[in-house]
Amino acid sequence: MDSPRNSRPPLDADCQALLDGLAAGGGGIDKPDHHQMRAGYNAANPAFNPPTPDLASVENSTAPGDGAGQPDVPIRIYRPRFAPAVAPALVFFHGGGWVMGDLESHDALCRIVAARSDAVVIAVDYRLAPEHRFPAAVEDCEHAWRYIAENARRLDVDPARLAVGGDSAGGNLAAVIARRLRDAGGAQPVFQALIYPATDFTAEGGSLVENATGYFLTKAAIDLVSSMYVPDAGARRNPDASPLLADDLSGLPPALVQVAGYDPLRDEGVAYADRLREAGVTVELIEYPTVVHGFMRMIKPVAMAQAALDDYAAALRRVFREA
């Protein structure tokens, strides 16, 4: 992380080819409104998703609402072929800027992680902005986590080996939920697995400027989804929105933080890993210096995604083996 950024390696050839194709076809997520952003995000699924491994089962289910304002939260349970009868599990929150994404957009990623980690993956389909602004996504994700933890035996997962994770906005939500569960006491994750997480709505400069345009996720798109999810500028300093700004990060679960070199959010992920370390939390930070934000969902066109998914699954296997 200490090498000068002006000497960084060139952009990955697979990423460059993908960006060239998106530019030629008018694709990508830089759109004027959330409906068009969602359409563009979901339209990429066929191009991003490779053939997926066989699993023992994939089941759609629900974390039932509480009848007092908390709605049902859809979940999808991926059970690998070689998982034990009572298996460890990763509760996974998808990315998409709190505005895009769903169970389908990350289906291939979740299948691959389940197969390679030999752990159950439980994906959470939280409410999206701007229809449901902050903190609706946080509430849904915490509600789903608590339902899974309280019903772990019924779901055939080990309540003592539950991790939390996600990519981008989902990485943000995973970090927030880990801290909220620490503060509340009771069942907590044994690990937080964060893929290029957004951690600070107040961030300026650095990678936000260096990678502002031309690398899939743009600063303009970040500003737009931020205005949809947390329109109140004052609320952006709330640690439930910006986990990097929490006063105390001690006592949190060990973490994996993966960042991409050509990502506007790169510095936020690095800063969060640094703050966790300073608080005494065990952290593995992995930078993939030649790729763009979102590359781990670009499984078919970007070869580096496979290596990063291997790293992600290996970290889960190691944690669950030692838990």
Side-chain angles (χ1 to χ4, degrees), residues 28 49 60 97 119 121 147 176-177 190 197 239 253 273 290 303:
N49 295 343
N60 289 325
V121 173
Y147 169 79
V176 168
I177 297 310
V190 297
T290 65

Side-chain angles (χ1 to χ4, degrees), residues 45-97:
N45 289 344
F48 286 175
N49 295 343
T52 51
D54 290 334
L55 301 177
S57 64
V58 177
E59 175 189 359
N60 289 325
S61 187
T62 301
D66 61 10
Q70 172 60 58
D72 294 352
V73 180
I75 60 176
R76 181 174 291 173
I77 305 169
Y78 300 85
R79 197 172 302 278
R81 295 176 62 193
F82 301 110
V86 179
L90 168 69
V91 180
F92 187 86
F93 308 132
H94 67 77

Side-chain angles (χ1 to χ4, degrees), residues 211-249:
N211 298 322
T213 60
Y215 302 118
F216 187 69
L217 178 64
T218 65
K219 179 65 163 57
I222 292 171
D223 290 344
L224 181 57
V225 298
S226 298
S227 71
M228 295 180 192
Y229 179 54
V230 194
D232 179 357
R236 296 181 183 184
R237 298 197 65 84
N238 186 322
D240 286 350
S242 297
L244 182 65
L245 304 185
D247 291 335
D248 179 14
L249 297 180

Side-chain angles (χ1 to χ4, degrees), residues 24-291:
I29 58 174
D30 270 333
K31 306 295 182 183
D33 64 65
H34 62 284
H35 298 294
Q36 294 181 59
M37 292 178 83
R38 287 173 186 164
Y41 192 83
N42 292 331
N45 289 344
F48 286 175
N49 295 343
T52 51
D54 290 334
L55 301 177
S57 64
V58 177
E59 175 189 359
N60 289 325
S61 187
T62 301
D66 61 10
Q70 172 60 58
D72 294 352
V73 180
I75 60 176
R76 181 174 291 173
I77 305 169
Y78 300 85
R79 197 172 302 278
R81 295 176 62 193
F82 301 110
V86 179
L90 168 69
V91 180
F92 187 86
F93 308 132
H94 67 77
W98 307 272
V99 170
M100 301 163 280
D102 53 27
L103 296 177
E104 297 305 324
S105 66
H106 287 65
D107 183 74
L109 186 153
C110 289
R111 288 173 184 265
I112 290 170
V113 171
R116 296 185 188 180
S117 66
D118 290 332
V120 172
V121 173
I122 305 178
V124 176
D125 196 15
Y126 54 87
R127 288 172 290 171
L128 298 177
E131 295 89 348
H132 305 282
R133 293 172 173 167
F134 172 81
V138 174
E139 294 167 349
D140 286 0
C141 290
E142 183 170 353
H143 178 73
W145 164 271
R146 291 186 180 279
Y147 169 79
I148 293 162
E150 292 166 4
N151 293 274
R153 294 295 183 184
R154 188 178 65 79
L155 297 170
D156 294 325
V157 297
D158 186 349
R161 292 189 295 164
L162 292 178
V164 67
D167 68 313
S168 193
N172 167 281
L173 292 165
V176 168
I177 297 310
R179 196 203 75 255
R180 285 173 60 90
L181 292 170
R182 179 207 62 183
D183 293 347
Q188 298 180 47
V190 297
F191 191 57
Q192 46 183 330
L194 313 179
I195 301 170
Y196 30 77
T199 65
D200 183 5
F201 279 95
T202 71
E204 296 178 345
S207 61
L208 282 170
V209 173
E210 181 183 5
N211 298 322
T213 60
Y215 302 118
F216 187 69
L217 178 64
T218 65
K219 179 65 163 57
I222 292 171
D223 290 344
L224 181 57
V225 298
S226 298
S227 71
M228 295 180 192
Y229 179 54
V230 194
D232 179 357
R236 296 181 183 184
R237 298 197 65 84
N238 186 322
D240 286 350
S242 297
L244 182 65
L245 304 185
D247 291 335
D248 179 14
L249 297 180
S250 63
L252 289 173
L256 168 69
V257 181
Q258 294 169 294
V259 299
Y262 283 83
D263 182 356
L265 299 182
R266 181 195 66 223
D267 290 356
E268 295 180 38
V270 173
Y272 194 66
D274 288 344
R275 278 218 55 207
L276 288 172
R277 283 201 196 99
E278 291 167 3
V281 177
T282 300
V283 181
E284 180 182 12
L285 172 65
I286 306 176
E287 180 178 359
Y288 305 88
T290 65
V291 289

